[in-house]
PDB file of all heavy atoms in Angstrom:
ATOM      1  N   LEU L1055     103.093  31.599 162.038  1.00 98.00           N
ATOM      2  CA  LEU L1055     102.507  32.242 160.880  1.00 98.00           C
ATOM      3  C   LEU L1055     101.686  33.438 161.357  1.00 98.00           C
ATOM      4  O   LEU L1055     101.040  33.378 162.403  1.00 98.00           O
ATOM      5  CB  LEU L1055     101.595  31.281 160.109  1.00 98.00           C
ATOM      6  CG  LEU L1055     102.229  30.029 159.498  1.00 98.00           C
ATOM      7  CD1 LEU L1055     101.165  29.232 158.744  1.00 98.00           C
ATOM      8  CD2 LEU L1055     103.393  30.363 158.586  1.00 98.00           C
ATOM      9  N   ASN L1056     101.729  34.521 160.587  1.00 98.00           N
ATOM     10  CA  ASN L1056     100.897  35.672 160.920  1.00 98.00           C
ATOM     11  C   ASN L1056      99.575  35.586 160.166  1.00 98.00           C
ATOM     12  O   ASN L1056      99.319  34.634 159.424  1.00 98.00           O
ATOM     13  CB  ASN L1056     101.641  36.980 160.633  1.00 98.00           C
ATOM     14  CG  ASN L1056     102.050  37.118 159.165  1.00 98.00           C
ATOM     15  OD1 ASN L1056     101.358  36.651 158.268  1.00 98.00           O
ATOM     16  ND2 ASN L1056     103.180  37.770 158.924  1.00 98.00           N
ATOM     17  N   GLY L1057      98.729  36.597 160.355  1.00 98.00           N
ATOM     18  CA  GLY L1057      97.404  36.557 159.744  1.00 98.00           C
ATOM     19  C   GLY L1057      97.439  36.468 158.230  1.00 98.00           C
ATOM     20  O   GLY L1057      96.668  35.714 157.623  1.00 98.00           O
ATOM     21  N   LYS L1058      98.333  37.238 157.605  1.00 97.00           N
ATOM     22  CA  LYS L1058      98.449  37.189 156.148  1.00 97.00           C
ATOM     23  C   LYS L1058      98.796  35.779 155.682  1.00 97.00           C
ATOM     24  O   LYS L1058      98.231  35.265 154.713  1.00 97.00           O
ATOM     25  CB  LYS L1058      99.535  38.157 155.677  1.00 97.00           C
ATOM     26  CG  LYS L1058      99.253  39.624 155.906  1.00 97.00           C
ATOM     27  CD  LYS L1058     100.444  40.451 155.432  1.00 97.00           C
ATOM     28  CE  LYS L1058     100.253  41.930 155.679  1.00 97.00           C
ATOM     29  NZ  LYS L1058     101.436  42.705 155.230  1.00 97.00           N
ATOM     30  N   GLU L1059      99.743  35.158 156.372  1.00 97.00           N
ATOM     31  CA  GLU L1059     100.199  33.828 155.980  1.00 97.00           C
ATOM     32  C   GLU L1059      99.117  32.779 156.187  1.00 97.00           C
ATOM     33  O   GLU L1059      98.998  31.830 155.408  1.00 97.00           O
ATOM     34  CB  GLU L1059     101.461  33.471 156.762  1.00 97.00           C
ATOM     35  CG  GLU L1059     102.660  34.326 156.371  1.00 97.00           C
ATOM     36  CD  GLU L1059     103.820  34.201 157.339  1.00 97.00           C
ATOM     37  OE1 GLU L1059     103.576  34.043 158.557  1.00 97.00           O
ATOM     38  OE2 GLU L1059     104.979  34.282 156.890  1.00 97.00           O
ATOM     39  N   LEU L1060      98.325  32.936 157.232  1.00 97.00           N
ATOM     40  CA  LEU L1060      97.258  31.975 157.503  1.00 97.00           C
ATOM     41  C   LEU L1060      96.222  31.972 156.384  1.00 97.00           C
ATOM     42  O   LEU L1060      95.751  30.917 155.956  1.00 97.00           O
ATOM     43  CB  LEU L1060      96.584  32.291 158.842  1.00 97.00           C
ATOM     44  CG  LEU L1060      97.381  31.918 160.088  1.00 97.00           C
ATOM     45  CD1 LEU L1060      96.751  32.544 161.327  1.00 97.00           C
ATOM     46  CD2 LEU L1060      97.476  30.410 160.242  1.00 97.00           C
ATOM     47  N   VAL L1061      95.881  33.161 155.897  1.00 97.00           N
ATOM     48  CA  VAL L1061      94.925  33.245 154.791  1.00 97.00           C
ATOM     49  C   VAL L1061      95.547  32.672 153.526  1.00 97.00           C
ATOM     50  O   VAL L1061      94.910  31.904 152.790  1.00 97.00           O
ATOM     51  CB  VAL L1061      94.480  34.704 154.568  1.00 97.00           C
ATOM     52  CG1 VAL L1061      93.624  34.822 153.314  1.00 97.00           C
ATOM     53  CG2 VAL L1061      93.691  35.204 155.779  1.00 97.00           C
ATOM     54  N   ALA L1062      96.807  32.998 153.268  1.00 95.00           N
ATOM     55  CA  ALA L1062      97.487  32.505 152.072  1.00 95.00           C
ATOM     56  C   ALA L1062      97.596  30.992 152.070  1.00 95.00           C
ATOM     57  O   ALA L1062      97.487  30.337 151.034  1.00 95.00           O
ATOM     58  CB  ALA L1062      98.875  33.131 151.952  1.00 95.00           C
ATOM     59  N   ALA L1063      97.797  30.411 153.257  1.00 95.00           N
ATOM     60  CA  ALA L1063      97.953  28.956 153.367  1.00 95.00           C
ATOM     61  C   ALA L1063      96.625  28.225 153.426  1.00 95.00           C
ATOM     62  O   ALA L1063      96.584  26.999 153.344  1.00 95.00           O
ATOM     63  CB  ALA L1063      98.782  28.614 154.600  1.00 95.00           C
ATOM     64  N   GLY L1064      95.530  28.957 153.600  1.00 95.00           N
ATOM     65  CA  GLY L1064      94.221  28.311 153.686  1.00 95.00           C
ATOM     66  C   GLY L1064      93.868  27.856 155.076  1.00 95.00           C
ATOM     67  O   GLY L1064      92.916  27.106 155.267  1.00 95.00           O
ATOM     68  N   LEU L1065      94.604  28.326 156.080  1.00 97.00           N
ATOM     69  CA  LEU L1065      94.302  27.975 157.469  1.00 97.00           C
ATOM     70  C   LEU L1065      93.359  28.986 158.114  1.00 97.00           C
ATOM     71  O   LEU L1065      92.954  28.830 159.263  1.00 97.00           O
ATOM     72  CB  LEU L1065      95.594  27.864 158.280  1.00 97.00           C
ATOM     73  CG  LEU L1065      96.491  26.676 157.891  1.00 97.00           C
ATOM     74  CD1 LEU L1065      97.871  26.810 158.526  1.00 97.00           C
ATOM     75  CD2 LEU L1065      95.845  25.354 158.281  1.00 97.00           C
ATOM     76  N   ALA L1066      93.035  30.045 157.377  1.00 97.00           N
ATOM     77  CA  ALA L1066      92.018  31.015 157.772  1.00 97.00           C
ATOM     78  C   ALA L1066      91.335  31.485 156.496  1.00 97.00           C
ATOM     79  O   ALA L1066      91.906  31.391 155.403  1.00 97.00           O
ATOM     80  CB  ALA L1066      92.635  32.193 158.527  1.00 97.00           C
ATOM     81  N   THR L1067      90.126  31.993 156.616  1.00 97.00           N
ATOM     82  CA  THR L1067      89.382  32.371 155.405  1.00 97.00           C
ATOM     83  C   THR L1067      89.468  33.851 155.073  1.00 97.00           C
ATOM     84  O   THR L1067      89.415  34.222 153.903  1.00 97.00           O
ATOM     85  CB  THR L1067      87.894  31.982 155.542  1.00 97.00           C
ATOM     86  OG1 THR L1067      87.323  32.682 156.661  1.00 97.00           O
ATOM     87  CG2 THR L1067      87.742  30.484 155.726  1.00 97.00           C
ATOM     88  N   HIS L1068      89.593  34.722 156.096  1.00 98.00           N
ATOM     89  CA  HIS L1068      89.560  36.163 155.836  1.00 98.00           C
ATOM     90  C   HIS L1068      90.533  36.918 156.744  1.00 98.00           C
ATOM     91  O   HIS L1068      90.725  36.544 157.903  1.00 98.00           O
ATOM     92  CB  HIS L1068      88.150  36.733 156.068  1.00 98.00           C
ATOM     93  CG  HIS L1068      87.120  36.210 155.129  1.00 98.00           C
ATOM     94  ND1 HIS L1068      86.475  34.999 155.340  1.00 98.00           N
ATOM     95  CD2 HIS L1068      86.623  36.707 153.963  1.00 98.00           C
ATOM     96  CE1 HIS L1068      85.618  34.786 154.348  1.00 98.00           C
ATOM     97  NE2 HIS L1068      85.689  35.799 153.502  1.00 98.00           N
ATOM     98  N   PHE L1069      91.092  37.997 156.191  1.00 98.00           N
ATOM     99  CA  PHE L1069      91.937  38.911 156.971  1.00 98.00           C
ATOM    100  C   PHE L1069      91.181  40.225 157.133  1.00 98.00           C
ATOM    101  O   PHE L1069      90.785  40.854 156.146  1.00 98.00           O
ATOM    102  CB  PHE L1069      93.261  39.161 156.247  1.00 98.00           C
ATOM    103  CG  PHE L1069      94.213  40.060 156.998  1.00 98.00           C
ATOM    104  CD1 PHE L1069      95.218  39.507 157.785  1.00 98.00           C
ATOM    105  CD2 PHE L1069      94.101  41.439 156.925  1.00 98.00           C
ATOM    106  CE1 PHE L1069      96.095  40.330 158.491  1.00 98.00           C
ATOM    107  CE2 PHE L1069      94.970  42.271 157.635  1.00 98.00           C
ATOM    108  CZ  PHE L1069      95.971  41.706 158.406  1.00 98.00           C
ATOM    109  N   VAL L1070      90.979  40.618 158.390  1.00 98.00           N
ATOM    110  CA  VAL L1070      90.294  41.875 158.698  1.00 98.00           C
ATOM    111  C   VAL L1070      91.192  42.692 159.627  1.00 98.00           C
ATOM    112  O   VAL L1070      91.632  42.176 160.661  1.00 98.00           O
ATOM    113  CB  VAL L1070      88.930  41.615 159.381  1.00 98.00           C
ATOM    114  CG1 VAL L1070      88.287  42.930 159.829  1.00 98.00           C
ATOM    115  CG2 VAL L1070      87.992  40.856 158.446  1.00 98.00           C
ATOM    116  N   PRO L1071      91.505  43.928 159.300  1.00 98.00           N
ATOM    117  CA  PRO L1071      92.309  44.758 160.203  1.00 98.00           C
ATOM    118  C   PRO L1071      91.676  44.818 161.594  1.00 98.00           C
ATOM    119  O   PRO L1071      90.449  44.910 161.719  1.00 98.00           O
ATOM    120  CB  PRO L1071      92.297  46.130 159.520  1.00 98.00           C
ATOM    121  CG  PRO L1071      92.086  45.823 158.061  1.00 98.00           C
ATOM    122  CD  PRO L1071      91.151  44.646 158.058  1.00 98.00           C
ATOM    123  N   SER L1072      92.509  44.761 162.623  1.00 98.00           N
ATOM    124  CA  SER L1072      91.985  44.637 163.989  1.00 98.00           C
ATOM    125  C   SER L1072      91.060  45.783 164.385  1.00 98.00           C
ATOM    126  O   SER L1072      90.116  45.583 165.159  1.00 98.00           O
ATOM    127  CB  SER L1072      93.147  44.534 164.986  1.00 98.00           C
ATOM    128  OG  SER L1072      93.974  45.685 164.909  1.00 98.00           O
ATOM    129  N   GLU L1073      91.305  46.990 163.847  1.00 98.00           N
ATOM    130  CA  GLU L1073      90.450  48.106 164.238  1.00 98.00           C
ATOM    131  C   GLU L1073      89.028  47.960 163.708  1.00 98.00           C
ATOM    132  O   GLU L1073      88.098  48.635 164.176  1.00 98.00           O
ATOM    133  CB  GLU L1073      91.050  49.444 163.770  1.00 98.00           C
ATOM    134  CG  GLU L1073      91.087  49.652 162.267  1.00 98.00           C
ATOM    135  CD  GLU L1073      92.381  49.185 161.625  1.00 98.00           C
ATOM    136  OE1 GLU L1073      93.129  48.421 162.284  1.00 98.00           O
ATOM    137  OE2 GLU L1073      92.646  49.582 160.471  1.00 98.00           O
ATOM    138  N   LYS L1074      88.844  47.072 162.734  1.00 98.00           N
ATOM    139  CA  LYS L1074      87.510  46.856 162.167  1.00 98.00           C
ATOM    140  C   LYS L1074      86.756  45.691 162.820  1.00 98.00           C
ATOM    141  O   LYS L1074      85.594  45.444 162.492  1.00 98.00           O
ATOM    142  CB  LYS L1074      87.619  46.594 160.659  1.00 98.00           C
ATOM    143  CG  LYS L1074      88.100  47.788 159.852  1.00 98.00           C
ATOM    144  CD  LYS L1074      88.060  47.481 158.372  1.00 98.00           C
ATOM    145  CE  LYS L1074      88.487  48.685 157.535  1.00 98.00           C
ATOM    146  NZ  LYS L1074      88.436  48.379 156.084  1.00 98.00           N
ATOM    147  N   ILE L1075      87.414  44.981 163.729  1.00 98.00           N
ATOM    148  CA  ILE L1075      86.788  43.801 164.342  1.00 98.00           C
ATOM    149  C   ILE L1075      85.507  44.145 165.102  1.00 98.00           C
ATOM    150  O   ILE L1075      84.488  43.440 164.964  1.00 98.00           O
ATOM    151  CB  ILE L1075      87.793  43.061 165.247  1.00 98.00           C
ATOM    152  CG1 ILE L1075      88.886  42.406 164.401  1.00 98.00           C
ATOM    153  CG2 ILE L1075      87.089  42.018 166.109  1.00 98.00           C
ATOM    154  CD1 ILE L1075      88.402  41.342 163.442  1.00 98.00           C
ATOM    155  N   PRO L1076      85.484  45.218 165.920  1.00 98.00           N
ATOM    156  CA  PRO L1076      84.218  45.544 166.601  1.00 98.00           C
ATOM    157  C   PRO L1076      83.064  45.793 165.630  1.00 98.00           C
ATOM    158  O   PRO L1076      81.928  45.361 165.872  1.00 98.00           O
ATOM    159  CB  PRO L1076      84.566  46.804 167.392  1.00 98.00           C
ATOM    160  CG  PRO L1076      86.051  46.703 167.625  1.00 98.00           C
ATOM    161  CD  PRO L1076      86.582  46.098 166.358  1.00 98.00           C
ATOM    162  N   GLU L1077      83.348  46.471 164.509  1.00 98.00           N
ATOM    163  CA  GLU L1077      82.312  46.729 163.504  1.00 98.00           C
ATOM    164  C   GLU L1077      81.856  45.428 162.851  1.00 98.00           C
ATOM    165  O   GLU L1077      80.661  45.240 162.589  1.00 98.00           O
ATOM    166  CB  GLU L1077      82.840  47.680 162.426  1.00 98.00           C
ATOM    167  CG  GLU L1077      83.179  49.073 162.909  1.00 98.00           C
ATOM    168  CD  GLU L1077      83.765  49.906 161.786  1.00 98.00           C
ATOM    169  OE1 GLU L1077      83.031  50.196 160.817  1.00 98.00           O
ATOM    170  OE2 GLU L1077      84.966  50.245 161.862  1.00 98.00           O
ATOM    171  N   LEU L1078      82.825  44.553 162.560  1.00 98.00           N
ATOM    172  CA  LEU L1078      82.482  43.257 161.961  1.00 98.00           C
ATOM    173  C   LEU L1078      81.572  42.462 162.881  1.00 98.00           C
ATOM    174  O   LEU L1078      80.563  41.886 162.439  1.00 98.00           O
ATOM    175  CB  LEU L1078      83.750  42.461 161.667  1.00 98.00           C
ATOM    176  CG  LEU L1078      83.540  40.987 161.269  1.00 98.00           C
ATOM    177  CD1 LEU L1078      82.745  40.890 159.977  1.00 98.00           C
ATOM    178  CD2 LEU L1078      84.882  40.264 161.156  1.00 98.00           C
ATOM    179  N   GLU L1079      81.915  42.451 164.159  1.00 98.00           N
ATOM    180  CA  GLU L1079      81.104  41.703 165.122  1.00 98.00           C
ATOM    181  C   GLU L1079      79.680  42.239 165.162  1.00 98.00           C
ATOM    182  O   GLU L1079      78.708  41.465 165.138  1.00 98.00           O
ATOM    183  CB  GLU L1079      81.753  41.795 166.507  1.00 98.00           C
ATOM    184  CG  GLU L1079      81.148  40.872 167.529  1.00 98.00           C
ATOM    185  CD  GLU L1079      81.892  40.907 168.852  1.00 98.00           C
ATOM    186  OE1 GLU L1079      83.136  41.003 168.833  1.00 98.00           O
ATOM    187  OE2 GLU L1079      81.227  40.841 169.910  1.00 98.00           O
ATOM    188  N   LYS L1080      79.540  43.557 165.179  1.00 97.00           N
ATOM    189  CA  LYS L1080      78.204  44.165 165.175  1.00 97.00           C
ATOM    190  C   LYS L1080      77.445  43.817 163.897  1.00 97.00           C
ATOM    191  O   LYS L1080      76.235  43.569 163.928  1.00 97.00           O
ATOM    192  CB  LYS L1080      78.321  45.681 165.318  1.00 97.00           C
ATOM    193  CG  LYS L1080      78.770  46.151 166.692  1.00 97.00           C
ATOM    194  CD  LYS L1080      78.862  47.663 166.744  1.00 97.00           C
ATOM    195  CE  LYS L1080      79.358  48.148 168.103  1.00 97.00           C
ATOM    196  NZ  LYS L1080      79.499  49.631 168.144  1.00 97.00           N
ATOM    197  N   ARG L1081      78.156  43.821 162.776  1.00 98.00           N
ATOM    198  CA  ARG L1081      77.523  43.518 161.485  1.00 98.00           C
ATOM    199  C   ARG L1081      76.989  42.094 161.467  1.00 98.00           C
ATOM    200  O   ARG L1081      75.877  41.832 161.004  1.00 98.00           O
ATOM    201  CB  ARG L1081      78.542  43.717 160.369  1.00 98.00           C
ATOM    202  CG  ARG L1081      78.008  43.411 158.976  1.00 98.00           C
ATOM    203  CD  ARG L1081      77.080  44.505 158.495  1.00 98.00           C
ATOM    204  NE  ARG L1081      76.645  44.242 157.132  1.00 98.00           N
ATOM    205  CZ  ARG L1081      75.582  43.514 156.785  1.00 98.00           C
ATOM    206  NH1 ARG L1081      74.818  42.980 157.732  1.00 98.00           N
ATOM    207  NH2 ARG L1081      75.275  43.326 155.516  1.00 98.00           N
ATOM    208  N   LEU L1082      77.798  41.146 161.978  1.00 98.00           N
ATOM    209  CA  LEU L1082      77.393  39.743 161.986  1.00 98.00           C
ATOM    210  C   LEU L1082      76.206  39.523 162.921  1.00 98.00           C
ATOM    211  O   LEU L1082      75.279  38.777 162.606  1.00 98.00           O
ATOM    212  CB  LEU L1082      78.571  38.854 162.398  1.00 98.00           C
ATOM    213  CG  LEU L1082      79.714  38.759 161.382  1.00 98.00           C
ATOM    214  CD1 LEU L1082      80.911  38.024 161.984  1.00 98.00           C
ATOM    215  CD2 LEU L1082      79.253  38.066 160.107  1.00 98.00           C
ATOM    216  N   ILE L1083      76.249  40.192 164.064  1.00 97.00           N
ATOM    217  CA  ILE L1083      75.126  40.077 165.000  1.00 97.00           C
ATOM    218  C   ILE L1083      73.864  40.661 164.380  1.00 97.00           C
ATOM    219  O   ILE L1083      72.763  40.108 164.503  1.00 97.00           O
ATOM    220  CB  ILE L1083      75.465  40.790 166.325  1.00 97.00           C
ATOM    221  CG1 ILE L1083      76.582  40.024 167.065  1.00 97.00           C
ATOM    222  CG2 ILE L1083      74.225  40.919 167.213  1.00 97.00           C
ATOM    223  CD1 ILE L1083      77.158  40.770 168.254  1.00 97.00           C
ATOM    224  N   GLY L1084      74.044  41.755 163.659  1.00 97.00           N
ATOM    225  CA  GLY L1084      72.904  42.415 163.034  1.00 97.00           C
ATOM    226  C   GLY L1084      72.257  41.589 161.933  1.00 97.00           C
ATOM    227  O   GLY L1084      71.065  41.761 161.641  1.00 97.00           O
ATOM    228  N   LEU L1085      73.025  40.678 161.342  1.00 97.00           N
ATOM    229  CA  LEU L1085      72.439  39.795 160.323  1.00 97.00           C
ATOM    230  C   LEU L1085      71.303  38.966 160.891  1.00 97.00           C
ATOM    231  O   LEU L1085      70.302  38.700 160.226  1.00 97.00           O
ATOM    232  CB  LEU L1085      73.508  38.831 159.775  1.00 97.00           C
ATOM    233  CG  LEU L1085      74.530  39.334 158.781  1.00 97.00           C
ATOM    234  CD1 LEU L1085      75.490  38.203 158.431  1.00 97.00           C
ATOM    235  CD2 LEU L1085      73.849  39.856 157.523  1.00 97.00           C
ATOM    236  N   ASN L1086      71.510  38.517 162.127  1.00 96.00           N
ATOM    237  CA  ASN L1086      70.540  37.644 162.799  1.00 96.00           C
ATOM    238  C   ASN L1086      70.189  36.448 161.926  1.00 96.00           C
ATOM    239  O   ASN L1086      69.033  36.022 161.852  1.00 96.00           O
ATOM    240  CB  ASN L1086      69.279  38.426 163.164  1.00 96.00           C
ATOM    241  CG  ASN L1086      68.478  37.732 164.254  1.00 96.00           C
ATOM    242  OD1 ASN L1086      69.032  36.984 165.063  1.00 96.00           O
ATOM    243  ND2 ASN L1086      67.180  37.969 164.277  1.00 96.00           N
ATOM    244  N   SER L1087      71.227  35.914 161.239  1.00 97.00           N
ATOM    245  CA  SER L1087      71.013  34.812 160.307  1.00 97.00           C
ATOM    246  C   SER L1087      72.288  33.991 160.192  1.00 97.00           C
ATOM    247  O   SER L1087      73.397  34.500 160.374  1.00 97.00           O
ATOM    248  CB  SER L1087      70.631  35.366 158.929  1.00 97.00           C
ATOM    249  OG  SER L1087      70.693  34.355 157.936  1.00 97.00           O
ATOM    250  N   GLY L1088      72.102  32.702 159.857  1.00 97.00           N
ATOM    251  CA  GLY L1088      73.248  31.831 159.634  1.00 97.00           C
ATOM    252  C   GLY L1088      73.442  31.502 158.175  1.00 97.00           C
ATOM    253  O   GLY L1088      74.238  30.609 157.844  1.00 97.00           O
ATOM    254  N   ASN L1089      72.755  32.219 157.306  1.00 97.00           N
ATOM    255  CA  ASN L1089      72.910  31.979 155.875  1.00 97.00           C
ATOM    256  C   ASN L1089      74.371  32.174 155.483  1.00 97.00           C
ATOM    257  O   ASN L1089      74.932  33.261 155.671  1.00 97.00           O
ATOM    258  CB  ASN L1089      72.019  32.931 155.086  1.00 97.00           C
ATOM    259  CG  ASN L1089      72.156  32.754 153.588  1.00 97.00           C
ATOM    260  OD1 ASN L1089      73.039  33.331 152.963  1.00 97.00           O
ATOM    261  ND2 ASN L1089      71.279  31.937 153.013  1.00 97.00           N
ATOM    262  N   GLU L1090      74.989  31.126 154.917  1.00 97.00           N
ATOM    263  CA  GLU L1090      76.424  31.169 154.669  1.00 97.00           C
ATOM    264  C   GLU L1090      76.825  32.278 153.711  1.00 97.00           C
ATOM    265  O   GLU L1090      77.839  32.944 153.910  1.00 97.00           O
ATOM    266  CB  GLU L1090      76.908  29.808 154.144  1.00 97.00           C
ATOM    267  CG  GLU L1090      76.905  28.729 155.204  1.00 97.00           C
ATOM    268  CD  GLU L1090      77.519  27.433 154.711  1.00 97.00           C
ATOM    269  OE1 GLU L1090      78.096  27.424 153.595  1.00 97.00           O
ATOM    270  OE2 GLU L1090      77.435  26.430 155.440  1.00 97.00           O
ATOM    271  N   GLN L1091      76.043  32.486 152.663  1.00 97.00           N
ATOM    272  CA  GLN L1091      76.385  33.525 151.694  1.00 97.00           C
ATOM    273  C   GLN L1091      76.269  34.904 152.323  1.00 97.00           C
ATOM    274  O   GLN L1091      77.093  35.794 152.074  1.00 97.00           O
ATOM    275  CB  GLN L1091      75.493  33.425 150.457  1.00 97.00           C
ATOM    276  CG  GLN L1091      75.926  34.351 149.322  1.00 97.00           C
ATOM    277  CD  GLN L1091      77.370  34.145 148.907  1.00 97.00           C
ATOM    278  OE1 GLN L1091      77.801  33.034 148.629  1.00 97.00           O
ATOM    279  NE2 GLN L1091      78.147  35.230 148.874  1.00 97.00           N
ATOM    280  N   ALA L1092      75.258  35.095 153.155  1.00 98.00           N
ATOM    281  CA  ALA L1092      75.075  36.383 153.829  1.00 98.00           C
ATOM    282  C   ALA L1092      76.214  36.644 154.804  1.00 98.00           C
ATOM    283  O   ALA L1092      76.726  37.774 154.890  1.00 98.00           O
ATOM    284  CB  ALA L1092      73.728  36.412 154.562  1.00 98.00           C
ATOM    285  N   VAL L1093      76.618  35.607 155.538  1.00 98.00           N
ATOM    286  CA  VAL L1093      77.726  35.742 156.479  1.00 98.00           C
ATOM    287  C   VAL L1093      79.018  36.049 155.732  1.00 98.00           C
ATOM    288  O   VAL L1093      79.789  36.942 156.116  1.00 98.00           O
ATOM    289  CB  VAL L1093      77.879  34.462 157.327  1.00 98.00           C
ATOM    290  CG1 VAL L1093      79.162  34.520 158.157  1.00 98.00           C
ATOM    291  CG2 VAL L1093      76.675  34.288 158.239  1.00 98.00           C
ATOM    292  N   LYS L1094      79.262  35.330 154.655  1.00 97.00           N
ATOM    293  CA  LYS L1094      80.462  35.558 153.862  1.00 97.00           C
ATOM    294  C   LYS L1094      80.502  36.982 153.322  1.00 97.00           C
ATOM    295  O   LYS L1094      81.539  37.665 153.394  1.00 97.00           O
ATOM    296  CB  LYS L1094      80.526  34.560 152.707  1.00 97.00           C
ATOM    297  CG  LYS L1094      81.764  34.704 151.838  1.00 97.00           C
ATOM    298  CD  LYS L1094      81.756  33.684 150.701  1.00 97.00           C
ATOM    299  CE  LYS L1094      82.988  33.838 149.828  1.00 97.00           C
ATOM    300  NZ  LYS L1094      82.974  32.890 148.682  1.00 97.00           N
ATOM    301  N   SER L1095      79.390  37.449 152.797  1.00 98.00           N
ATOM    302  CA  SER L1095      79.322  38.803 152.242  1.00 98.00           C
ATOM    303  C   SER L1095      79.569  39.850 153.323  1.00 98.00           C
ATOM    304  O   SER L1095      80.250  40.862 153.084  1.00 98.00           O
ATOM    305  CB  SER L1095      77.958  39.044 151.587  1.00 98.00           C
ATOM    306  OG  SER L1095      77.774  38.183 150.482  1.00 98.00           O
ATOM    307  N   ALA L1096      79.039  39.604 154.507  1.00 98.00           N
ATOM    308  CA  ALA L1096      79.234  40.543 155.616  1.00 98.00           C
ATOM    309  C   ALA L1096      80.702  40.631 156.004  1.00 98.00           C
ATOM    310  O   ALA L1096      81.239  41.724 156.235  1.00 98.00           O
ATOM    311  CB  ALA L1096      78.387  40.113 156.817  1.00 98.00           C
ATOM    312  N   ILE L1097      81.356  39.482 156.079  1.00 98.00           N
ATOM    313  CA  ILE L1097      82.782  39.479 156.431  1.00 98.00           C
ATOM    314  C   ILE L1097      83.598  40.177 155.350  1.00 98.00           C
ATOM    315  O   ILE L1097      84.528  40.946 155.637  1.00 98.00           O
ATOM    316  CB  ILE L1097      83.281  38.034 156.637  1.00 98.00           C
ATOM    317  CG1 ILE L1097      82.574  37.389 157.828  1.00 98.00           C
ATOM    318  CG2 ILE L1097      84.798  38.027 156.878  1.00 98.00           C
ATOM    319  CD1 ILE L1097      82.891  35.904 158.005  1.00 98.00           C
ATOM    320  N   GLU L1098      83.228  39.953 154.102  1.00 98.00           N
ATOM    321  CA  GLU L1098      83.973  40.543 152.991  1.00 98.00           C
ATOM    322  C   GLU L1098      83.832  42.059 152.935  1.00 98.00           C
ATOM    323  O   GLU L1098      84.668  42.741 152.323  1.00 98.00           O
ATOM    324  CB  GLU L1098      83.525  39.910 151.671  1.00 98.00           C
ATOM    325  CG  GLU L1098      84.018  38.476 151.523  1.00 98.00           C
ATOM    326  CD  GLU L1098      83.513  37.790 150.268  1.00 98.00           C
ATOM    327  OE1 GLU L1098      82.560  38.337 149.638  1.00 98.00           O
ATOM    328  OE2 GLU L1098      84.046  36.722 149.925  1.00 98.00           O
ATOM    329  N   GLU L1099      82.820  42.615 153.590  1.00 98.00           N
ATOM    330  CA  GLU L1099      82.691  44.066 153.677  1.00 98.00           C
ATOM    331  C   GLU L1099      83.858  44.676 154.450  1.00 98.00           C
ATOM    332  O   GLU L1099      84.220  45.844 154.244  1.00 98.00           O
ATOM    333  CB  GLU L1099      81.376  44.448 154.370  1.00 98.00           C
ATOM    334  CG  GLU L1099      80.124  44.139 153.570  1.00 98.00           C
ATOM    335  CD  GLU L1099      78.871  44.446 154.360  1.00 98.00           C
ATOM    336  OE1 GLU L1099      78.956  45.243 155.332  1.00 98.00           O
ATOM    337  OE2 GLU L1099      77.799  43.903 154.035  1.00 98.00           O
TER     338      GLU L1099
END
């Protein structure tokens, strides 16, 4: 299964284009929090 299929099947929660992964990682680190809603919102950006 590829990334699209994993999200569709519920085996993954989010699809993020690979070129955005470094930015996502920085964003999550910058949260400095484990609040689930905050983490979810950050990933959804």
Side-chain angles (χ1 to χ4, degrees):
L1055 298 182
N1056 60 33
K1058 294 178 182 179
E1059 292 167 325
L1060 285 168
V1061 173
L1065 292 168
T1067 61
H1068 295 83
F1069 182 96
V1070 174
S1072 60
E1073 67 268 16
K1074 293 185 178 180
I1075 291 297
E1077 295 177 66
L1078 170 62
E1079 190 175 322
K1080 289 180 182 178
R1081 179 74 176 88
L1082 291 172
I1083 292 170
L1085 283 178
N1086 200 26
S1087 168
N1089 179 275
E1090 289 186 9
Q1091 188 55 52
V1093 171
K1094 181 180 180 182
S1095 296
I1097 296 173
E1098 288 176 346
E1099 291 176 21

